[in-house]
Amino acid sequence: MSSDFQHHDDDDIHFYFAYGSNMNAARMQARVGDTRRRMSGTLEGWQLYFDKASRIDGVAHANVRKEAGGQVEGVLYELNHPAQIRDMDPFEGHPAEYCRQVESVDTPDGPRAAWVYVALPEKTAPGRLPAREYLGHLLEGRDFLSHAYLERLGAQHCIDSLGDEALLSLGISRTTPG
């Protein structure tokens, strides 16, 4: 991360980078309301993992970790007002589950300082898989992802056997975006 992004205030950052279920615009809108616009974004030097522990043993949420040569694609939301990011904190479990930090995200319009949620290391472990329904939210970002990245997401192994009650405990519904 560039030192330009080290010192900030919540009111300085106008963008949020979604690499997980918030790539689903309906889910994002249900959580924080309207945003100004969406665009493609890439987090260079990071890699996507499904290693963030959920409320159900063995089930994962998305996470990013710094990794040389890595690249995470996602949706960059321009917030209506910078403080709007605070509305996302409870959904992301900030600061107990994920840390909200500012990173440089590449866009077609140049780099942007954006909020990114990164799972706390003690909340991660290998050997987890996302629920199929959770992965569906990531795939809703298809209009902002490269074909190759979308194919990799689509090929992700998932857990297909979760019932409605288990999905709701994960904050996922088969019928609604939120």
Side-chain angles (χ1 to χ4, degrees):
M1 173 171 69
S2 163
S3 61
D4 295 344
F5 299 126
Q6 289 294 330
H7 301 324
H8 55 80
D9 177 297
D10 282 7
D11 294 332
D12 294 338
I13 308 302
H14 296 262
F15 294 93
Y16 160 62
F17 180 68
Y19 59 83
S21 65
N22 292 321
M23 286 198 283
N24 180 336
R27 186 173 179 89
M28 180 70 175
Q29 203 279 332
R31 289 178 168 192
V32 303
D34 293 331
T35 58
R36 286 189 183 152
R37 64 180 172 145
R38 299 179 296 155
M39 66 183 97
S40 297
T42 304
L43 197 55
E44 296 289 344
W46 292 75
Q47 191 64 43
L48 177 70
Y49 287 92
F50 292 99
D51 65 353
K52 165 59 181 66
S54 74
R55 292 183 179 109
I56 298 176
D57 191 38
V59 178
H61 293 296
N63 181 34
V64 292
R65 292 195 311 244
K66 285 191 175 189
E67 189 170 298
Q71 186 179 65
V72 178
E73 294 183 25
V75 178
L76 189 69
Y77 290 90
E78 184 175 3
L79 304 173
N80 278 330
H81 50 88
Q84 192 175 16
I85 193 65
R86 292 185 202 121
D87 296 336
M88 184 62 73
D89 287 348
F91 295 101
E92 297 299 329
H94 171 72
E97 302 283 326
Y98 284 87
C99 173
R100 178 168 42 93
Q101 60 193 54
V102 178
E103 298 294 338
S104 179
V105 176
D106 292 340
T107 77
D109 297 336
R112 297 283 187 257
W115 290 113
V116 178
Y117 288 92
V118 179
L120 300 175
E122 62 271 19
K123 301 294 183 178
T124 65
R128 294 183 166 102
L129 294 172
R132 173 77 51 205
E133 293 80 2
Y134 178 82
L135 188 68
H137 287 296
L138 278 71
L139 296 172
E140 286 294 317
R142 68 181 46 84
D143 292 344
F144 300 92
L145 307 174
S146 69
H147 180 71
Y149 196 83
L150 191 59
E151 279 189 345
R152 282 196 306 274
L153 282 179
Q156 171 66 43
H157 292 289
C158 294
I159 295 173
D160 293 314
S161 58
L162 294 177
D164 289 342
E165 190 173 312
L167 289 172
L168 286 175
S169 77
L170 296 172
I172 303 168
S173 168
R174 292 186 206 282
T175 58
T176 62

